[in-house]
């Protein structure tokens, strides 16, 4: 959960700053989204980096940890966030003083947060498992990532039925 909060905070700073700058400069939708995404990645990585450096990690390990822990999370958050912003009629063309601009941005970040929580949980569980295997002197680790969060089947309806992902 803490990783998701760091990611959301960094993404929110970058997203809001990017949208404010782009709106103030009257940039196109594509340029606004590009700036917001770049700034979201920058601030998302920065917050994680600062946190792991405070925990005592060296610079190289802190950079690798931030990149490994946050890349997928920020990517998912930005896709969802910008998708929601594009879906809200008029949000990309609203001015800085319009309630629609700030309301759509807040709504998009909230939706992105809800979607990103399970992704972060899954990534962190995988990284913890890989770390445990490394510490256990595993010579080789192969991670298979069949991630179907929307299609998990937890119940068996008949005997000997597999628990598997289905569409």
């Amino acid at each position: 959960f803490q990783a998701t909060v760091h990611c959301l905070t960094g993404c929110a700073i970058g997203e809001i700053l990017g949208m404010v700058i782009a709106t103030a400069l009257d940039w196109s939708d594509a340029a606004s989204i590009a700036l917001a995404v770049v700034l979201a990645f920058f601030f998302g990585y920065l917050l994680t980096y600062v946190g792991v450096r405070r925990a005592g990690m060296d610079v190289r390990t802190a950079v690798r940890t931030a990149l490994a822990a946050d890349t997928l999370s920020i990517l998912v958050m930005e896709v969802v966030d910008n998708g929601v912003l594009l879906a809200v009629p008029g949000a990309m063309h609203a001015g800085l003083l319009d309630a629609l601009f700030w309301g759509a941005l807040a709504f998009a970040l909230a939706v992105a947060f809800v979607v990103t929580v399970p992704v972060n949980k899954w990534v962190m569980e995988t990284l913890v498992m890989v770390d445990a295997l490394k510490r256990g002197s595993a010579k080789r680790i192969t991670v298979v990532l069949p991630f179907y969060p929307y299609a998990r089947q937890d119940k068996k309806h008949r005997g000997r039925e597999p628990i598997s992902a289905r569409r």
Side-chain angles (χ1 to χ4, degrees):
F1 182 76
Q2 194 68 5
T4 304
V5 171
H6 276 116
C7 176
L8 174 68
T9 305
C11 286
I13 292 168
E15 188 73 29
I16 292 168
L17 185 60
M19 287 297 175
V20 166
I21 291 170
T23 301
L25 297 175
D26 198 28
W27 285 5
S28 68
D29 291 355
S32 300
I33 290 171
L35 178 63
V37 168
V38 167
L39 290 175
F41 270 93
F42 173 76
F43 284 106
Y45 288 143
L46 181 66
L47 288 183
T48 299
Y49 173 80
V50 168
V52 294
R53 285 288 289 149
R54 283 188 184 154
M57 278 190 192
D58 62 278
V59 172
R60 183 172 184 223
T61 306
V63 168
R64 292 175 68 198
T65 300
L67 290 174
D70 285 354
T71 300
L72 180 63
S73 179
I74 295 171
L75 179 66
V76 169
M77 184 164 289
E78 285 305 300
V79 167
V80 172
D81 180 56
N82 288 299
V84 170
L85 279 176
L86 288 170
V88 174
M92 293 299 292
H93 302 289
L96 292 175
L97 300 177
D98 293 336
L100 176 62
F101 175 83
W102 295 105
L105 197 52
F107 176 69
L109 288 170
V111 170
F113 178 75
V114 169
V115 171
T116 306
V117 169
V119 173
N120 269 337
K121 184 177 184 295
W122 170 72
V123 168
M124 296 316 298
E125 286 173 355
T126 303
L127 292 174
V128 167
M129 191 172 15
V130 168
D131 182 60
L133 292 168
K134 280 184 178 180
R135 291 174 191 260
S137 301
K139 292 185 189 236
R140 188 170 146 190
I141 302 169
T142 303
V143 178
V144 178
L145 304 173
F147 189 52
Y148 299 104
Y150 57 88
R152 214 169 121 212
Q153 174 185 344
D154 288 319
K155 296 180 182 174
K156 289 184 177 188
H157 299 287
R158 293 173 285 167
R160 302 189 54 78
E161 181 182 25
I163 296 177
S164 58
R166 64 174 145 151
R167 292 182 203 216

